[in-house]
Amino acid sequence: YIAIYSYIPEYNWLLILNDTKSEVYSLTHVMRIYMAIFGIALIILMLIFHFINQKQEKSNQKLASTIIKSNKTKESLYTAMFKDVLTDVGNRIAFSMDFEGQKPTPAEPYYIVMYNINGFSSINTRYGNDVGDWLLVRTVDILNQVFKGSKIYRTGSDEFIVAVKVKNDEVAYTDIIEDAKDAYKRLTAGQNTPMGRINFEFRSSVAKKYGVINTSIITVLKDMINKNSNATVGQITYTDLDS
């Protein structure tokens, strides 16, 4: 038992309260029970939210992985469709797509420069495909060094196109020809290949065009090389397709 008393002198009363310990602390016990239930419920809720969060994180990771795979697939498809895998430049389809629907700009024509590796198949036969692949990559490197900021395409197994956009009042065709000759000298200089130092031969042609450009210009450039009697090795032929 627990007992308490209080004396009231005005009335000469003595007030005594007593009861069992369980009754005195019954409210405390009830509150403790409620707190325990609340604590257990809170822990259960935390576990449930933790489980949901883990599932959400796994779903997010799976979604992110799917997006990454999808982007890689798109990149692979783009590369397969529009890029030459070996040299990492645009292919013939990319050339067509880049210039399709362009409006004529007389003040800003394009100079299209073609370089054709002379006897490329014999190079592969004589020195092996490794040297052939090395030559293709090296050709792009040199063209990038000379024609900075210009678009380069591999439009055939042994041919490359450089699209140079200029302003008429800033660049003359002789400047483009000089750059073309500079690239030619670098390409035909002795190259330190995996099979030793080798000199390669190239043929080149240049065409100026400001109107609609399509893949037919590639045929024109090839004809300038193959059908023109002046287009010998070392001779860069030029034509203005708008004159």
Side-chain angles (χ1 to χ4, degrees):
Y1 281 84
I2 294 178
I4 60 172
Y5 72 91
S6 178
Y7 176 65
I8 305 174
E10 290 84 356
Y11 301 99
N12 198 28
W13 288 356
L14 182 66
L15 181 62
I16 299 174
L17 297 174
N18 62 0
D19 208 337
T20 61
K21 188 175 181 180
S22 61
E23 286 295 327
V24 173
Y25 291 104
S26 62
L27 183 60
T28 302
H29 293 327
V30 170
M31 291 302 297
R32 286 178 178 174
I33 292 171
Y34 283 147
M35 288 298 293
I37 294 172
F38 177 77
I40 292 170
L42 187 61
I43 291 172
I44 292 172
L45 286 173
M46 289 175 66
L47 291 173
I48 291 172
F49 281 120
H50 177 72
F51 175 76
I52 293 172
N53 187 54
Q54 290 290 329
K55 294 287 288 184
Q56 186 65 39
E57 285 184 1
K58 288 181 179 179
S59 299
N60 291 340
Q61 290 175 358
K62 188 176 181 179
L63 179 61
S65 177
T66 302
I67 292 172
I68 291 171
K69 288 179 180 178
S70 177
N71 289 337
K72 287 183 177 179
T73 302
K74 289 179 180 178
E75 289 176 4
S76 298
L77 289 173
Y78 178 85
T79 300
M81 288 182 63
F82 302 107
K83 273 201 171 185
D84 177 58
V85 179
L86 178 63
T87 58
D88 198 34
V89 296
N91 57 19
R92 194 184 186 97
I93 298 174
F95 178 82
S96 176
M97 295 293 291
D98 287 349
F99 291 95
E100 183 179 356
Q102 282 206 10
K103 296 180 180 179
T105 51
E108 296 182 342
Y110 272 95
Y111 285 90
I112 310 298
V113 187
M114 172 177 279
Y115 287 93
N116 187 278
I117 303 172
N118 198 41
F120 182 64
S121 58
S122 62
I123 291 172
N124 282 326
T125 303
R126 183 175 180 182
Y127 301 107
N129 290 331
D130 288 343
V131 172
D133 292 345
W134 180 93
L135 177 58
L136 295 173
V137 175
R138 179 60 178 162
T139 299
V140 170
D141 290 341
I142 292 174
L143 295 179
N144 273 319
Q145 292 169 16
V146 176
F147 299 98
K148 293 182 175 64
S150 299
K151 294 182 179 180
I152 300 174
Y153 306 87
R154 184 185 176 192
T155 55
S157 62
D158 58 355
E159 66 186 30
F160 294 87
I161 291 289
V162 183
V164 186
K165 189 176 184 180
V166 302
K167 292 185 178 180
N168 272 333
D169 56 350
E170 294 180 2
V171 179
Y173 83 93
T174 52
D175 298 324
I176 302 299
I177 296 298
E178 286 302 316
D179 287 342
K181 288 180 179 179
D182 181 23
Y184 179 85
K185 289 178 182 178
R186 299 192 192 193
L187 291 169
T188 55
Q191 304 289 334
N192 294 318
T193 74
M195 293 295 290
R197 193 169 182 81
I198 304 173
N199 289 81
F200 301 101
E201 293 182 345
F202 284 77
R203 295 177 186 268
S204 180
S205 58
V206 182
K208 179 183 177 182
K209 189 81 170 69
Y210 75 84
V212 177
I213 299 174
N214 52 47
T215 52
S216 64
I217 198 171
I218 298 174
T219 304
V220 173
L221 290 165
K222 290 173 71 172
D223 288 344
M224 289 169 63
I225 290 175
N226 298 325
K227 296 181 180 180
N228 190 334
S229 59
N230 294 324
T232 57
V233 175
Q235 177 70 33
I236 299 176
T237 57
Y238 169 79
T239 185
D240 187 343
L241 297 176
D242 300 311
S243 60

Coordinates of all heavy atoms in Angstrom, one line a residue, residues 135-194:
L135 N 47.3 4.3 -92.0 CA 47.3 5.4 -93.0 C 46.0 6.1 -93.0 O 46.0 7.4 -93.1 CB 47.6 4.8 -94.4 CG 47.5 5.8 -95.5 CD1 48.6 6.9 -95.3 CD2 47.8 5.0 -96.8
L136 N 44.9 5.4 -92.9 CA 43.6 6.1 -92.8 C 43.4 7.1 -91.6 O 43.0 8.2 -91.8 CB 42.4 5.1 -92.8 CG 42.3 4.2 -94.0 CD1 41.3 3.1 -93.8 CD2 41.9 5.0 -95.3
V137 N 43.8 6.6 -90.5 CA 43.8 7.4 -89.3 C 44.8 8.6 -89.4 O 44.4 9.7 -89.0 CB 44.1 6.6 -88.0 CG1 44.2 7.4 -86.8 CG2 43.1 5.5 -87.8
R138 N 46.0 8.3 -89.9 CA 47.0 9.4 -90.1 C 46.5 10.4 -91.0 O 46.7 11.6 -90.8 CB 48.3 8.7 -90.5 CG 49.4 9.7 -90.8 CD 49.8 10.5 -89.5 NE 50.9 11.4 -89.8 CZ 51.1 12.4 -89.0 NH1 50.4 12.7 -87.9 NH2 52.2 13.2 -89.2
T139 N 45.8 10.0 -92.1 CA 45.3 11.0 -93.1 C 44.3 11.9 -92.4 O 44.4 13.2 -92.6 CB 44.5 10.2 -94.2 OG1 45.5 9.4 -94.9 CG2 44.0 11.2 -95.2
V140 N 43.4 11.4 -91.6 CA 42.5 12.3 -90.9 C 43.2 13.2 -89.9 O 42.8 14.4 -89.8 CB 41.4 11.4 -90.1 CG1 40.6 12.3 -89.2 CG2 40.5 10.7 -91.1
D141 N 44.2 12.7 -89.2 CA 45.0 13.6 -88.3 C 45.6 14.8 -89.1 O 45.5 15.9 -88.6 CB 46.1 12.8 -87.6 CG 45.5 11.8 -86.6 OD1 44.3 12.0 -86.2 OD2 46.2 10.8 -86.3
I142 N 46.2 14.5 -90.2 CA 46.8 15.6 -91.0 C 45.8 16.6 -91.5 O 46.0 17.8 -91.5 CB 47.7 15.0 -92.1 CG1 48.9 14.2 -91.6 CG2 48.1 16.1 -93.1 CD1 49.7 13.5 -92.6
L143 N 44.7 16.1 -92.0 CA 43.6 17.0 -92.5 C 43.1 17.8 -91.4 O 42.8 19.0 -91.6 CB 42.5 16.1 -93.2 CG 42.9 15.4 -94.4 CD1 41.7 14.6 -94.9 CD2 43.4 16.3 -95.5
N144 N 42.9 17.3 -90.2 CA 42.5 18.1 -89.1 C 43.5 19.2 -88.7 O 43.1 20.3 -88.3 CB 42.3 17.2 -87.8 CG 40.9 16.6 -87.8 OD1 39.9 17.3 -88.1 ND2 40.7 15.4 -87.5
Q145 N 44.8 18.9 -88.8 CA 45.8 19.8 -88.5 C 45.8 21.0 -89.5 O 46.0 22.2 -89.1 CB 47.2 19.2 -88.6 CG 47.4 18.2 -87.4 CD 48.7 17.3 -87.6 OE1 49.6 17.7 -88.4 NE2 48.8 16.2 -86.9
V146 N 45.6 20.7 -90.8 CA 45.6 21.8 -91.8 C 44.3 22.5 -91.9 O 44.3 23.8 -91.9 CB 46.0 21.1 -93.2 CG1 45.9 22.2 -94.3 CG2 47.4 20.5 -93.1
F147 N 43.2 21.8 -92.0 CA 41.9 22.4 -92.2 C 41.2 22.5 -90.8 O 40.2 21.8 -90.5 CB 41.0 21.6 -93.2 CG 41.6 21.6 -94.5 CD1 42.4 20.4 -94.9 CD2 41.5 22.6 -95.4 CE1 42.9 20.4 -96.2 CE2 42.0 22.5 -96.7 CZ 42.7 21.4 -97.1
K148 N 41.7 23.3 -89.9 CA 41.2 23.4 -88.6 C 39.7 23.9 -88.6 O 39.4 24.9 -89.2 CB 42.0 24.3 -87.7 CG 43.4 23.8 -87.4 CD 44.2 24.8 -86.5 CE 45.5 24.2 -86.1 NZ 46.4 24.0 -87.3
G149 N 38.8 23.2 -87.8 CA 37.5 23.7 -87.7 C 36.6 23.3 -88.9 O 35.4 23.6 -88.9
S150 N 37.1 22.6 -89.9 CA 36.3 22.1 -91.0 C 35.8 20.7 -90.8 O 36.3 20.0 -90.0 CB 37.2 22.2 -92.3 OG 37.7 23.5 -92.6
K151 N 34.8 20.4 -91.6 CA 34.2 19.1 -91.5 C 34.9 18.1 -92.4 O 35.1 18.4 -93.5 CB 32.7 19.1 -91.8 CG 31.8 19.9 -90.8 CD 30.4 19.9 -91.2 CE 29.5 20.7 -90.2 NZ 28.1 20.7 -90.6
I152 N 35.2 16.9 -91.8 CA 35.9 15.9 -92.6 C 35.1 14.7 -92.7 O 34.4 14.3 -91.7 CB 37.3 15.6 -92.0 CG1 38.1 16.9 -91.9 CG2 38.0 14.5 -92.7 CD1 39.5 16.7 -91.2
Y153 N 35.0 14.1 -93.9 CA 34.2 12.8 -94.1 C 35.1 11.8 -94.8 O 35.9 12.1 -95.6 CB 33.0 13.1 -94.9 CG 32.1 14.3 -94.4 CD1 32.4 15.6 -94.7 CD2 31.1 14.0 -93.5 CE1 31.6 16.6 -94.2 CE2 30.3 15.0 -93.1 CZ 30.5 16.3 -93.4 OH 29.7 17.3 -92.9
R154 N 34.9 10.5 -94.4 CA 35.4 9.4 -95.2 C 34.3 8.9 -96.1 O 33.4 8.2 -95.6 CB 36.0 8.3 -94.3 CG 36.6 7.2 -95.1 CD 37.1 6.1 -94.2 NE 37.6 5.0 -94.9 CZ 37.9 3.8 -94.4 NH1 37.6 3.5 -93.2 NH2 38.4 2.8 -95.2
T155 N 34.3 9.2 -97.3 CA 33.2 8.9 -98.2 C 33.4 7.6 -99.1 O 32.6 7.3 -99.9 CB 33.0 10.1 -99.2 OG1 34.2 10.4 -99.9 CG2 32.5 11.3 -98.4
G156 N 34.6 7.0 -98.9 CA 34.9 5.8 -99.6 C 36.0 5.1 -98.9 O 36.6 5.6 -97.9
S157 N 36.4 3.9 -99.3 CA 37.4 3.1 -98.6 C 38.7 3.9 -98.6 O 39.5 3.8 -97.7 CB 37.6 1.8 -99.3 OG 38.0 1.9 -100.6
D158 N 39.0 4.7 -99.7 CA 40.3 5.3 -99.8 C 40.2 6.8 -100.1 O 41.1 7.5 -100.5 CB 41.1 4.7 -100.9 CG 40.4 4.7 -102.3 OD1 39.3 5.1 -102.3 OD2 41.0 4.3 -103.3
E159 N 39.0 7.4 -99.9 CA 38.8 8.8 -100.2 C 38.2 9.6 -99.0 O 37.4 9.0 -98.2 CB 37.9 9.0 -101.4 CG 36.5 8.5 -101.2 CD 35.6 8.6 -102.4 OE1 36.2 8.4 -103.6 OE2 34.4 8.7 -102.3
F160 N 38.7 10.8 -98.9 CA 38.2 11.7 -97.9 C 37.8 13.0 -98.4 O 38.4 13.5 -99.4 CB 39.4 11.9 -96.9 CG 39.8 10.7 -96.1 CD1 40.7 9.8 -96.7 CD2 39.3 10.4 -94.9 CE1 41.1 8.7 -96.0 CE2 39.6 9.3 -94.2 CZ 40.6 8.4 -94.8
I161 N 36.8 13.6 -97.8 CA 36.3 14.9 -98.2 C 36.4 15.9 -97.1 O 36.1 15.6 -95.9 CB 34.8 14.8 -98.5 CG1 34.5 14.0 -99.8 CG2 34.1 16.2 -98.7 CD1 35.0 14.7 -101.1
V162 N 36.9 17.1 -97.4 CA 37.0 18.2 -96.4 C 36.0 19.3 -96.9 O 36.2 19.8 -98.0 CB 38.4 18.8 -96.3 CG1 38.5 19.8 -95.2 CG2 39.4 17.6 -95.9
A163 N 35.1 19.7 -96.0 CA 34.2 20.8 -96.4 C 34.6 22.1 -95.6 O 34.5 22.1 -94.4 CB 32.7 20.4 -96.0
V164 N 35.0 23.1 -96.4 CA 35.6 24.3 -95.8 C 34.6 25.4 -96.1 O 34.4 25.8 -97.3 CB 37.0 24.6 -96.3 CG1 37.5 25.8 -95.6 CG2 37.9 23.4 -96.2
K165 N 33.9 26.0 -95.1 CA 33.0 27.1 -95.3 C 33.8 28.4 -95.1 O 34.5 28.6 -94.1 CB 31.8 27.0 -94.4 CG 30.8 28.1 -94.7 CD 29.6 27.9 -93.8 CE 28.4 28.8 -94.2 NZ 27.2 28.6 -93.3
V166 N 33.7 29.3 -96.1 CA 34.5 30.6 -96.0 C 33.6 31.8 -96.4 O 32.4 31.6 -96.8 CB 35.7 30.6 -97.0 CG1 36.6 29.4 -96.7 CG2 35.2 30.5 -98.4
K167 N 34.1 33.0 -96.2 CA 33.5 34.2 -96.6 C 34.2 34.7 -97.8 O 35.5 34.9 -97.7 CB 33.4 35.2 -95.5 CG 32.5 34.8 -94.3 CD 32.4 35.9 -93.3 CE 31.4 35.5 -92.2 NZ 31.3 36.5 -91.1
N168 N 33.5 35.1 -98.8 CA 34.2 35.5 -100.1 C 35.1 36.7 -99.9 O 36.2 36.8 -100.5 CB 33.1 35.9 -101.1 CG 32.7 34.7 -101.9 OD1 33.5 33.7 -102.1 ND2 31.5 34.7 -102.4
D169 N 34.7 37.6 -99.0 CA 35.5 38.8 -98.8 C 36.7 38.6 -97.9 O 37.5 39.5 -97.7 CB 34.7 40.0 -98.3 CG 34.0 39.6 -97.0 OD1 34.0 38.4 -96.6 OD2 33.4 40.5 -96.3
E170 N 36.8 37.4 -97.3 CA 37.9 37.1 -96.4 C 38.9 36.1 -96.9 O 40.1 36.1 -96.6 CB 37.4 36.6 -95.1 CG 36.6 37.7 -94.3 CD 36.1 37.2 -93.0 OE1 36.3 36.0 -92.7 OE2 35.4 38.0 -92.3
V171 N 38.4 35.1 -97.7 CA 39.2 34.0 -98.2 C 39.1 33.8 -99.7 O 38.0 33.8 -100.2 CB 38.8 32.7 -97.5 CG1 39.7 31.5 -98.0 CG2 39.0 32.8 -96.0
A172 N 40.2 33.8 -100.4 CA 40.2 33.6 -101.8 C 40.5 32.1 -102.1 O 41.0 31.4 -101.2 CB 41.3 34.4 -102.5
Y173 N 40.1 31.7 -103.3 CA 40.3 30.3 -103.6 C 41.8 29.9 -103.6 O 42.1 28.7 -103.3 CB 39.7 30.0 -105.0 CG 40.6 30.2 -106.2 CD1 41.4 29.2 -106.7 CD2 40.6 31.5 -106.8 CE1 42.2 29.5 -107.8 CE2 41.4 31.8 -107.8 CZ 42.2 30.8 -108.4 OH 43.0 31.0 -109.4
T174 N 42.7 30.8 -103.8 CA 44.1 30.5 -103.8 C 44.5 30.1 -102.4 O 45.4 29.3 -102.2 CB 44.9 31.7 -104.3 OG1 44.5 32.9 -103.5 CG2 44.7 32.0 -105.8
D175 N 43.9 30.7 -101.4 CA 44.2 30.3 -100.0 C 43.8 28.9 -99.7 O 44.6 28.1 -99.0 CB 43.4 31.2 -99.0 CG 43.8 32.7 -99.1 OD1 45.0 32.9 -99.4 OD2 43.0 33.6 -99.0
I176 N 42.7 28.5 -100.3 CA 42.2 27.1 -100.1 C 43.2 26.1 -100.8 O 43.6 25.1 -100.3 CB 40.8 26.9 -100.6 CG1 39.8 27.8 -99.9 CG2 40.4 25.4 -100.4 CD1 39.8 27.6 -98.4
I177 N 43.6 26.5 -102.0 CA 44.5 25.7 -102.8 C 45.9 25.6 -102.0 O 46.5 24.5 -102.0 CB 44.8 26.3 -104.2 CG1 43.5 26.3 -105.0 CG2 45.9 25.5 -104.9 CD1 42.9 24.9 -105.2
E178 N 46.3 26.6 -101.4 CA 47.6 26.6 -100.6 C 47.4 25.6 -99.5 O 48.4 24.8 -99.2 CB 47.9 28.0 -100.1 CG 48.5 28.9 -101.2 CD 49.7 28.3 -101.9 OE1 50.6 27.8 -101.2 OE2 49.8 28.4 -103.1
D179 N 46.3 25.7 -98.8 CA 46.1 24.7 -97.7 C 46.0 23.3 -98.2 O 46.5 22.3 -97.6 CB 44.7 25.0 -97.0 CG 44.9 26.3 -96.1 OD1 46.0 26.7 -95.8 OD2 43.8 26.9 -95.8
A180 N 45.4 23.1 -99.4 CA 45.3 21.8 -100.0 C 46.7 21.3 -100.3 O 47.0 20.1 -100.1 CB 44.4 21.8 -101.2
K181 N 47.5 22.2 -100.8 CA 48.9 21.7 -101.2 C 49.7 21.4 -99.9 O 50.5 20.5 -99.9 CB 49.6 22.9 -102.0 CG 49.1 23.0 -103.4 CD 49.8 24.2 -104.1 CE 49.3 24.3 -105.5 NZ 50.0 25.4 -106.2
D182 N 49.5 22.2 -98.9 CA 50.1 22.0 -97.6 C 49.8 20.6 -97.1 O 50.6 19.8 -96.6 CB 49.8 23.0 -96.6 CG 50.5 22.9 -95.2 OD1 51.5 22.2 -95.2 OD2 49.9 23.4 -94.2
A183 N 48.5 20.3 -97.1 CA 48.0 18.9 -96.6 C 48.6 17.8 -97.5 O 49.0 16.8 -97.0 CB 46.5 18.9 -96.6
Y184 N 48.7 18.1 -98.8 CA 49.2 17.1 -99.7 C 50.7 16.8 -99.4 O 51.1 15.7 -99.4 CB 49.1 17.6 -101.2 CG 49.6 16.6 -102.2 CD1 48.9 15.6 -102.7 CD2 50.9 16.8 -102.7 CE1 49.4 14.7 -103.6 CE2 51.5 15.9 -103.6 CZ 50.7 14.8 -104.0 OH 51.2 13.9 -104.9
K185 N 51.5 17.9 -99.2 CA 52.9 17.7 -98.8 C 53.0 16.8 -97.6 O 53.9 16.0 -97.5 CB 53.6 19.0 -98.7 CG 53.7 19.8 -100.0 CD 54.4 21.2 -99.7 CE 54.5 22.0 -101.0 NZ 55.1 23.3 -100.8
R186 N 52.2 17.1 -96.6 CA 52.3 16.3 -95.3 C 51.9 14.9 -95.5 O 52.5 14.0 -95.0 CB 51.4 17.0 -94.3 CG 51.8 18.4 -93.9 CD 51.0 18.9 -92.7 NE 51.1 20.3 -92.4 CZ 50.8 20.9 -91.3 NH1 50.3 20.2 -90.3 NH2 50.9 22.2 -91.2
L187 N 50.9 14.7 -96.4 CA 50.4 13.3 -96.6 C 51.4 12.5 -97.4 O 51.5 11.3 -97.1 CB 49.1 13.4 -97.3 CG 47.8 13.9 -96.6 CD1 46.7 14.2 -97.5 CD2 47.4 13.0 -95.4
T188 N 52.1 13.1 -98.3 CA 53.0 12.4 -99.2 C 54.4 12.3 -98.6 O 55.3 11.7 -99.2 CB 53.0 13.0 -100.6 OG1 53.3 14.4 -100.5 CG2 51.7 12.8 -101.2
A189 N 54.7 13.0 -97.5 CA 56.0 13.0 -96.9 C 56.2 11.6 -96.3 O 55.2 10.8 -96.0 CB 56.1 14.0 -95.8
G190 N 57.4 11.2 -96.1 CA 57.7 9.9 -95.5 C 57.0 9.7 -94.1 O 57.2 10.6 -93.3
Q191 N 56.3 8.6 -94.0 CA 55.5 8.4 -92.7 C 56.2 7.2 -92.0 O 56.5 6.2 -92.6 CB 54.1 8.0 -93.1 CG 53.4 9.1 -93.9 CD 53.1 10.4 -93.1 OE1 53.0 10.4 -91.9 NE2 53.0 11.5 -93.9
N192 N 56.3 7.4 -90.7 CA 56.9 6.3 -89.8 C 55.7 5.4 -89.4 O 55.1 5.6 -88.4 CB 57.5 6.9 -88.6 CG 58.8 7.7 -88.9 OD1 59.5 7.4 -89.8 ND2 58.9 8.9 -88.3
T193 N 55.5 4.4 -90.2 CA 54.4 3.4 -90.0 C 54.9 2.3 -89.1 O 56.1 2.1 -88.9 CB 53.9 2.9 -91.4 OG1 54.9 2.0 -91.9 CG2 53.7 4.0 -92.4
P194 N 53.9 1.4 -88.7 CA 54.3 0.2 -88.0 C 55.3 -0.7 -88.8 O 56.0 -1.6 -88.2 CB 53.0 -0.5 -87.7 CG 52.0 0.6 -87.8 CD 52.5 1.5 -88.8

